[in-house]
Amino acid sequence: MSYYVAHRLFAAHDRALAAYLAHELALKLGEDQVFLPFCDTDEEDLVADIKGRRLFELDRDRLRHIRALIAIIHGPSPDDGVCMEIGYAAARGVPVILLTTDFQDYSATPTGPRTVFPDPLLDTLATRIIRAPRLGTPTDLPGASHFADFAARNHAQIQLAVDACVDTALQLPVPADSAVPARTASAVYAEPSPYTSAHHELPGTGVRPGITVRRPTRFAATEPEAAARADWAAALSSDRIVVDACGPETPPGAALLIGASCATAQPVAAYLPRSTYTHASGREPNHRNLMIQYGVGHTLRSAEEVTAWIGP
């Protein structure tokens, strides 16, 4: 069982930070005990008929056999592929360490309760959060410019955070098998997008005879983390999940639930009426992050398709 380092693939600085973390972890455990996506799936050299799907399969197969997941995640729009991987690990009972260099807190209102991440579901699924909100001590190097000094302080901040991640990972117990929650027949969990109208109802999920539609409570709760735990339990115990994937990227809550559903073979569909396609060398056009596009069973393009998928 290896340690999986999850990170945003499409930014060089995130890949570099993830590689540094994987390297430091491998010094303690051996390279064969650490898995780094993009690097260990040989993305640039991989040749496959449907390359994006093959990359998804390689990462998913590794997620099935890991001892812990360490995810680099920061900013007001967390990477949807990383969130999918977090949801997958959490649903299987695998410890999750979240590393963030974001110094901001988040809340639904100016004076409301704060969380480390914009979606409190991330806070609740973390076994441990490693946070590096402060710069390192000024170096005061002779002859160094103030820009070089600022860079050194940031590097020191990252080094301390990585060291804390490695120490925490080495102390984690071996995960026990997590039982799949019993599911309620004719219950559908509907996750809206926070990027659209506040707390709106996901299109096509109105009152349905004979079907219980469960909805999240954490976005307007006075205790968002407790509500997030209840939302997670409600989603995983539902017969099916439908998420609104609208936004600049799939919202973190939707991505987390897609990962959980993928891990437990729970039917999941994504409402996405409009796509922005991405293109990469040797890869087919993709309408969402690979872990999202191939993790869902159905992509629904209209409210009518949502209604039909939920059923009578």
Side-chain angles (χ1 to χ4, degrees):
M1 300 177 74
S2 62
Y3 293 76
Y4 188 114
V5 179
H7 61 97
R8 187 187 296 269
L9 298 181
F10 309 109
H13 53 82
D14 274 31
R15 293 195 298 271
L17 174 54
Y20 174 48
L21 172 55
H23 170 73
E24 292 297 309
L25 197 56
L27 289 177
K28 302 286 187 179
L29 299 168
E31 289 191 14
D32 61 331
Q33 295 300 306
V34 182
F35 178 77
L36 183 64
F38 197 101
C39 174
D40 290 333
T41 49
D42 297 321
E43 177 155 345
E44 289 195 325
D45 298 323
L46 178 68
V47 176
D49 291 337
I50 306 178
K51 184 175 179 178
R53 177 177 287 278
R54 183 56 184 153
L55 289 166
F56 164 80
E57 292 169 347
L58 290 169
D59 290 346
R60 179 202 57 193
D61 292 347
R62 184 55 69 102
L63 283 167
R64 290 172 174 166
H65 306 286
I66 60 173
R67 180 170 179 174
L69 182 138
I70 306 173
I72 299 170
I73 189 163
H74 40 235
S77 181
D79 182 76
D80 45 2
V82 173
C83 286
M84 185 276 185
E85 292 163 326
I86 293 168
Y88 193 107
R92 293 179 64 88
V94 173
V96 174
I97 300 172
L98 301 185
L99 167 61
T100 181
T101 60
D102 186 357
F103 57 82
Q104 304 172 113
D105 289 325
Y106 297 88
S107 64
T109 63
T111 59
R114 298 179 181 183
T115 53
V116 175
F117 300 101
D119 190 325
L121 199 52
L122 280 164
D123 293 65
T124 62
L125 295 182
T127 306
R128 175 80 184 276
I129 298 172
I130 305 296
R131 198 171 191 190
R134 301 284 182 182
L135 293 174
T137 304
T139 58
D140 196 25
L141 295 173
S145 72
H146 69 291
F147 300 121
D149 182 71
F150 186 67
R153 294 178 67 188
N154 279 278
H155 293 157
Q157 177 191 43
I158 290 171
Q159 183 175 356
L160 289 172
V162 167
D163 289 345
C165 276
V166 172
D167 290 342
T168 300
L170 296 178
Q171 296 170 17
L172 291 173
V174 176
D177 291 334
S178 180
V180 176
R183 293 176 185 160
T184 303
S186 300
V188 177
Y189 184 89
E191 174 80 4
S193 171
Y195 298 133
T196 56
S197 300
H199 317 307
H200 84 299
E201 183 177 282
L202 197 158
T205 61
V207 176
R208 309 298 304 281
I211 295 177
T212 300
V213 179
R214 297 170 173 173
R215 308 182 193 279
T217 61
R218 64 189 184 277
F219 297 117
T222 55
E223 297 184 10
E225 291 190 38
R229 286 190 287 271
D231 289 349
W232 181 255
L236 268 61
S237 63
S238 296
D239 184 53
R240 286 174 292 165
I241 293 176
V242 59
V243 303
D244 189 335
C246 295
E249 53 191 339
T250 305
L256 290 165
L257 293 173
I258 289 170
S261 296
C262 188
T264 60
Q266 182 182 29
V268 61
Y271 169 68
L272 187 65
R274 179 181 178 277
S275 294
T276 299
Y277 287 85
T278 58
H279 306 267
S281 177
R283 187 198 298 173
E284 72 280 9
N286 296 119
H287 66 257
R288 257 316 186 224
N289 182 291
L290 296 177
M291 302 304 285
I292 301 298
Q293 177 169 328
Y294 295 112
V296 301
H298 301 273
T299 299
L300 310 173
R301 298 297 187 178
S302 67
E304 291 74 22
E305 290 187 12
V306 173
T307 301
W309 187 81
I310 291 176

